[in-house]
Amino acid sequence: MLRHIVAKQQLSNRAQIKIIRLARTISDLANSKTITDQSIWEAVKLNSRMSTNKIVQAVNR
């Protein structure tokens, strides 16, 4: 799933690592021993929201 998202959104290695770390945290909070597709999806959504918020903040300065 992550490979598909990376190819579609052309994410950098740094962004991929950030998503994997966030997905691992989400999985840990759900008491899952592995990173699930659902946690990856949630991490991608959260990461895109954080990026959007940073852009909005930069524009409003």
Side-chain angles (χ1 to χ4, degrees):
M1 178 174 196
L2 184 59
R3 286 183 183 160
H4 176 71
I5 294 168
V6 167
K8 192 169 186 176
Q9 295 187 3
Q10 298 178 345
L11 298 174
S12 66
N13 287 340
R14 182 177 285 178
Q16 292 175 48
I17 291 169
K18 189 174 181 180
I19 290 169
I20 291 169
R21 287 181 180 158
L22 187 54
R24 177 71 261 166
T25 301
I26 292 167
S27 293
D28 286 343
L29 291 171
N31 292 323
S32 177
K33 292 185 179 187
T34 60
I35 298 174
T36 63
D37 285 345
Q38 181 180 354
S39 64
I40 291 172
W41 182 247
E42 288 180 41
V44 169
K45 288 192 303 185
L46 287 170
N47 190 47
S48 65
R49 284 185 198 159
M50 289 187 298
S51 297
T52 302
N53 289 340
K54 286 181 182 177
I55 293 169
V56 169
Q57 289 173 355
V59 169
N60 290 332
R61 286 185 184 171

